[in-house]
Amino acid sequence: AFAKDKSLKRKISWMLYMADFPAVCRELKRKLDVLNKAIHSLINSQCLRLLLRIVLKLGNYMNAGSKKGRAYGFKLKTLMQLSGIKSADRKTSLLGYAIKHMIEKNHDPTQILTDLKDVEAAARIESKTLSSEVAKMGTIVRAMTDKILNKKSVSEAKELAEYPDDVIVFCEKGAEEHRLLSDSVEKTKGEFLKMTNFFTLEMKDKTAFEEAFKLWAEFLNHF
């Protein structure tokens, strides 16, 4: 009786997961889409590149004659300080001056906000949670496949008749869906690493999406 009760609970659990599976897949794909859009927008935004070049030139001008002059780059945390660095009359910040310079060059600085519109949403996606959700999917699909499809005896094969046809189809399609999502996660991690290297970001965890995007989101909030 205990074995039958355990088997029934397992079947109910699997049926519920099957019902949720499409929504789970959609949400995981949505998160991956947001992450990839944010990654590519940071790398490809021409307005952001222009702002960074202006900030670098301003920094080199201000530090001319010192060891900090003639720098080839700067740390991302420097961007967070731009709004706090004021002119002698305390009326204009370094960020404001950089924006003014962009406008004088006929560039719309607000385009940066448009280009990086997915960054804030990306900052709310935790890399460990995303990976664990995909791993959980794989664990459940493999357990179902091993129990339902990979029969090793006649008695086990008879048990297969207890499962609806859609469960068997799910096992086959679920495994493929999990493989595709796993590949997408690894590809996204690779693109993310390219982005962190592109900006030479200093991070405690090189795989933590949220850590890098929170830095950029903080900068945009000051913009």
Side-chain angles (χ1 to χ4, degrees):
F2 176 76
K4 287 184 178 180
D5 184 56
K6 185 177 180 180
S7 177
L8 178 60
K9 286 183 178 180
R10 182 176 61 239
K11 289 177 183 177
I12 292 174
S13 174
W14 287 348
M15 294 298 286
L16 290 173
Y17 186 76
M18 283 177 56
D20 292 338
F21 190 77
V24 171
C25 288
R26 283 195 300 271
E27 180 60 12
L28 288 171
K29 290 175 181 178
R30 184 196 68 80
K31 289 180 178 179
L32 288 168
D33 184 54
V34 169
L35 288 170
N36 281 292
K37 284 180 178 178
I39 290 168
H40 295 142
S41 68
L42 284 165
I43 293 176
N44 297 322
S45 174
Q46 295 303 310
C47 274
L48 177 61
R49 290 193 182 195
L50 175 60
L51 177 66
L52 297 180
R53 285 198 297 269
I54 293 172
V55 171
L56 181 60
K57 287 181 180 179
L58 288 173
N60 283 332
Y61 176 77
M62 294 170 65
N63 295 312
S66 70
K67 292 182 179 180
K68 294 182 179 180
R70 296 186 179 182
Y72 292 100
F74 54 86
K75 295 179 180 179
L76 183 58
K77 65 181 182 181
T78 301
L79 288 178
M80 313 306 161
Q81 302 168 353
L82 295 181
S83 59
I85 301 175
K86 302 292 185 179
S87 60
D89 60 7
R90 309 295 296 173
K91 292 182 178 180
T92 306
S93 67
L94 189 57
L95 178 59
Y97 187 85
I99 290 174
K100 179 182 178 182
H101 188 73
M102 289 182 70
I103 295 173
E104 289 174 351
K105 294 293 183 179
N106 296 318
H107 290 281
D108 180 7
T110 61
Q111 183 62 41
I112 293 177
L113 298 176
T114 302
D115 291 345
L116 309 186
K117 62 181 183 298
D118 295 297
V119 167
E120 189 172 347
R124 294 194 293 269
I125 300 173
E126 296 185 358
S127 53
K128 289 183 179 179
T129 300
L130 180 67
S131 295
S132 66
E133 287 173 347
V134 176
K136 177 184 177 182
M137 176 188 292
T139 299
I140 294 175
V141 170
R142 280 192 297 272
M144 293 179 69
T145 301
D146 289 342
K147 184 67 178 177
I148 298 172
L149 297 185
N150 299 338
K151 301 301 178 183
K152 299 178 181 179
S153 66
V154 175
S155 60
E156 286 181 322
K158 288 181 180 179
E159 187 180 346
L160 182 61
E162 299 177 13
Y163 293 91
D165 291 341
D166 58 345
V167 176
I168 300 171
V169 172
F170 171 80
C171 289
E172 296 170 345
K173 291 187 175 181
E176 177 63 12
E177 192 68 55
H178 173 254
R179 184 189 68 78
L180 292 173
L181 279 169
S182 296
D183 289 346
S184 294
V185 169
E186 292 306 310
K187 184 178 178 181
T188 300
K189 287 180 179 179
E191 293 299 305
F192 176 73
L193 185 59
K194 289 179 184 178
M195 187 270 287
T196 58
N197 291 335
F198 182 80
F199 291 106
T200 59
L201 299 182
E202 294 182 353
M203 298 169 55
K204 294 179 181 178
D205 184 353
K206 285 287 187 180
T207 63
F209 303 130
E210 63 277 15
E211 185 179 343
F213 289 126
K214 281 178 181 177
L215 288 173
W216 284 110
E218 184 181 345
F219 162 67
L220 294 175
N221 287 332
H222 289 287
F223 192 71

